[in-house]
Structure formats: structure tokens, C-alpha cells
Amino acid sequence: MQLSQRKALIEKSFIEHYGAPPTLFVQAPGRVDLMGSHTDYNLGYVLTQAIDRNTLIAARPRADGVARLASLNVAGISEFDLANIERDTIHPWSNYIRGVADVLQKEGYPLAGFDGLIHSTIPFGSGLSSSAALEVAAAVLFESLADWEIAPVRKAILCQRAENEFVGMNCGILDQYSSAMGVSGSVILLDCKAITHEIRPIAPGVQVMICDTKAKRALTGSEYPERRAQCEEGARILHRFYPEIHSLRDASLDQLAAHQADLPSVVYKRCQFIIEENQRVLDMADALAAGRHEDAGRLALESFAGARDLYEIVCIEMIAMKEAIITAPGALGTRGAGAGFGGCLVAFIEEGAQEAFAHHVFDSYVEQTHIEPEIYPAHAAAGAGVIQF
Ligand code: GLA
């Protein structure tokens, strides 16, 4: 849907909900990681881009310090008083906004009340960071409503804190950073320890595709925190032997191998994946910049294999999707996007092959799973901000 169509749709519904049109529109994009699964909370690297799917919030200020939220994607209205922010168990989606408000206030930023209406084109639960987009859009909204400014990188950090502390999901910085800091037309090499990035070129000839398995996953379950705890345990054990190791980012495969007997075997596997994956991020950035497309494809498939065998975050729908992709015309390679356990795969294909690729992947995936996938190109988008119509 075109932006102008979305605007018209939102304005109409806004007036129906609140009796007057919105005065402000903000947006924050989703993201797709091209390489680097679960490296962010290990303070490593991720090659990432914001995508041309985003969350819009239309708003109109209120003078009474109340925030009222509705969404065109999900039913219900969630209302809260900024002076007393609690979790909403009936409309859990609103907790991403409540959490951001809570963290901003605790940091001393004054907030203003508003009527708000959300519209998102990021599919939920598919590994493209719909939650982070909602958080970052909320941060931009609060900033614009109350007329102060914070740097985008700080917004990302505060939104991550909201997700960790208010929502209760102990994610890393990847999603919020990508949404706040995305650069139109560019991929970014994110350093999660320094919380900085470099823009990396992609040589022509390769196209990034998103292949959504439509297998939904919920990260509030135990798998994600369990993986994180296993990595932290590995880093703690290695630190005893190598005081300079504070996270898996600091560890090498040789150091890990030298202490295989000191780590529980499952922890060892998790650490091996992260250390290898971190190196793959750097190798991938180089391969894409140099136009070494076959190397890029091979690295993606190595990431997929490690995620399946060592990190164990690959489900059967992801395996079916990978099979569909690697047999498709123009395919170079593929890997899981986001946390895994379902959601999207990101595929690297030869430019020009898009249509034939999408047809083949669709048919082959439906044949294997009887689920209709969604397949579309990913274009690197700019980070969050106010929309000037
Ligand atoms: C989720 C988390 C991120 C990151 C990815 C896996 O998207 O929110 O912080 O850990 O999974 O790379």
C-alpha cells in the first residue's frame, strides 16, 4: 500500500475513533539481519538493514496526561495515565509503548498525553522486529509531542531497556538500533559492544529477498533467554582461563576448543556457533562489498547449518523454506532472520531472478507444508522519524 493510501486510511479511522484528525505522523521501520544470529547480546557484530515495511503512529496531543491507543492491525483501545503506567494484559501490544513511556519518564524526559492510532506493515512474530518498530516509533512520538530531542542511538538504547525491563524480553540492541539508525539504500555493520556502525557497500548483482514461512514464534517463551544464559555461562567459564574474555565477542575458536572439557556440551555448541557466526558477519560484509556473491551465499548457508545443528533455533518450516530456496533459479544462499524458531528466512539471489525465484519458492514451500508463504524483496530504508506529508 502506498504511503498516501495509508495516510488516508489512518486519518479516516482516526476521526472515527477520536472525533478529530491527527496532527502528527511518525514512523519506524522493521529490519532484516543479513548475517549475525544472536550475536548482539554477545556484544558481537551484525550486518543489518532497516526495511521498507514500517509502523506508523498518527497522534493528536491531549492536555490531560492520558495516552489512548488504538490500532488498525489489532482490536481494542488501550488507555493509560502517564502518571501511573502499568502493564496491560488485555492489550499486550500496548506494553511496548507503555514501556517506552515508563523508561523515558524515569530518565527525566517530560511526556505529553495523546490520542494515537497505529498502522503497521511489518508482519507480527515473523522475525522482522515489529515490536522494536513500535517502541522506536513511540520514542519519536514522545519526543515530538513534548518538544525535546534525543540522539537516535540513545533512543535505541532506551527502547531496548523498555523491552528488557518493562516487557520482560531480554533482547540485545539489534532490532531497536536498526529501526532507529537505518540508512536508506545501505546495509550497516553494527558493532554491539561499541554501539556504533559503519555503512557497508553492496556490489551490484545481488538482491536480498525475505521469505516468510508464516510459522509464528513467540520470544517470550523460554528458548531465547535460555540461549542467552548458555552463552553467558560459556563466557563466564572462559573468563576464568582468559581474564580478557568478558563476552563471547572476545573469545576465539582456539580458546574455546582448548577448554572443551570445562564446558557443558550444550554450552560448548552454543559458544561455537556464536564465535563462528561473529566471524561470518565480517566475512559476509567483505564478500558482499567485493561482489563475491558465491561466497556470500555459502556463508549464509553455513549460518543456517550452525543455527540448525549448534544453536538449535531452526524449525521444520524453516528447513522446508531453505529447501525451496536453494532449488530456486538465481538462489545464492539463505539463512534465518531474527531469533529463529519460525519467521522469515533471508535469501540472497542474483539480480533479475526475482520473479522466477519467488514463483519457485512459493510452489515448492506450499507443496511441502501446505502453508502459503510470502516472498518479497527487502529494500534498505531510513531509520525512524517524523513523517512530513
Ligand atoms: C531477536 C532479538 C534481537 C536479536 C535477534 C537474534 O530479534 O530481539 O535482540 O537477539 O533476535 O539475532
Side-chain angles (χ1 to χ4, degrees):
M1 203 192 296
Q2 297 290 317
L3 190 57
S4 56
Q5 284 173 290
R6 285 174 79 189
K7 181 178 184 249
L9 184 77
I10 294 169
E11 269 172 345
K12 183 167 174 286
S13 176
F14 198 100
I15 294 167
E16 281 161 17
H17 273 96
Y18 304 117
T23 55
L24 177 68
F25 283 82
V26 298
Q27 70 82 26
R31 64 100 188 88
V32 68
D33 47 310
L34 305 189
M35 185 61 83
S37 292
H38 294 258
T39 45
D40 65 344
Y41 54 78
N42 289 296
L43 305 188
Y45 298 104
V46 192
L47 195 64
T48 178
Q49 63 177 47
I51 56 173
D52 47 344
R53 292 208 167 203
N54 62 15
T55 295
L56 299 190
I57 308 179
R60 188 179 175 87
R62 293 171 61 103
D64 59 0
V66 165
R68 277 205 291 175
L69 294 164
S71 164
L72 284 164
N73 301 87
V74 280
I77 288 205
S78 180
E79 182 172 322
F80 63 100
D81 190 338
L82 289 165
N84 179 29
I85 303 176
E86 286 172 358
R87 278 175 198 76
D88 183 342
T89 49
I90 297 163
H91 311 101
W93 50 270
S94 78
N95 290 330
Y96 296 103
I97 295 181
R98 289 165 182 255
V100 170
D102 192 52
V103 165
L104 288 171
Q105 277 191 148
K106 285 181 176 150
E107 285 292 307
Y109 296 101
L111 303 186
F114 66 97
D115 288 331
L117 182 64
I118 302 160
H119 181 244
S120 186
T121 53
I122 310 167
F124 301 156
S126 66
L128 301 177
S129 294
S130 55
S131 321
L134 189 50
E135 291 158 359
V136 175
V140 175
L141 180 65
F142 286 120
E143 174 186 61
S144 314
L145 285 171
D147 209 17
W148 37 260
E149 251 183 67
I150 47 179
V153 66
R154 182 151 162 77
K155 264 183 221 134
I157 292 168
L158 294 176
C159 288
Q160 181 202 10
R161 192 186 303 166
E163 181 138 357
N164 293 166
E165 293 173 6
F166 194 91
V167 178
M169 152 69 182
N170 62 343
C171 62
I173 190 74
L174 167 64
D175 305 348
Q176 293 79 9
Y177 192 98
S178 307
S179 185
M181 302 291 287
V183 180
S184 176
S186 294
V187 297
I188 64 181
L189 176 61
L190 165 61
D191 179 337
C192 302
K193 189 176 188 179
I195 318 191
T196 54
H197 72 266
E198 284 170 22
I199 291 178
R200 282 305 174 101
I202 296 200
V206 69
Q207 166 73 54
V208 177
M209 299 291 289
I210 292 174
C211 304
D212 191 342
T213 63
K214 297 287 176 90
K216 295 280 178 224
R217 74 286 156 287
L219 293 184
T220 37
S222 61
E223 297 281 11
Y224 186 94
E226 196 176 276
R227 295 298 181 287
R228 185 168 179 161
Q230 288 161 338
C231 291
E232 285 165 0
E233 185 183 345
R236 258 195 320 275
I237 295 172
L238 291 174
H239 176 73
R240 284 199 234 128
F241 301 99
Y242 307 100
E244 71 277 16
I245 296 179
H246 297 286
S247 66
L248 291 182
R249 150 73 173 268
D250 306 321
S252 70
L253 278 180
D254 286 345
Q255 290 170 321
L256 179 69
H259 293 282
Q260 184 155 12
D262 299 301
L263 283 90
S265 63
V266 67
V267 171
Y268 186 86
K269 280 201 291 190
R270 306 295 192 241
C271 294
Q272 184 189 338
F273 173 72
I274 294 299
I275 297 170
E276 289 176 352
E277 183 79 349
N278 205 38
Q279 182 59 46
R280 273 194 289 268
V281 176
L282 303 174
D283 294 346
M284 184 69 152
D286 290 346
L288 288 173
R292 287 188 277 108
H293 299 150
E294 257 125 58
D295 286 347
R298 176 184 48 78
L299 287 162
L301 289 169
E302 284 173 13
S303 171
F304 187 92
R308 183 190 58 209
D309 303 336
L310 298 174
Y311 220 62
E312 297 177 284
I313 52 174
V314 168
C315 63
I316 49 166
E317 292 88 349
M318 293 170 72
I319 291 174
M321 183 59 89
K322 180 212 157 200
E323 290 309 315
I325 291 170
I326 57 172
T327 52
L332 296 161
T334 186
R335 56 180 291 280
F341 308 108
C344 295
L345 267 67
V346 54
F348 301 88
I349 71 169
E350 285 162 11
E351 218 160 52
Q354 193 174 309
E355 218 169 297
F357 171 86
H359 272 123
H360 173 96
V361 173
F362 186 92
D363 290 347
S364 163
Y365 186 73
V366 170
E367 200 183 311
Q368 295 177 76
T369 62
H370 307 290
I371 303 170
E372 290 197 358
E374 222 189 313
I375 297 145
Y376 46 91
H379 300 292
V386 173
I387 306 180
Q388 312 286 1
F389 282 104

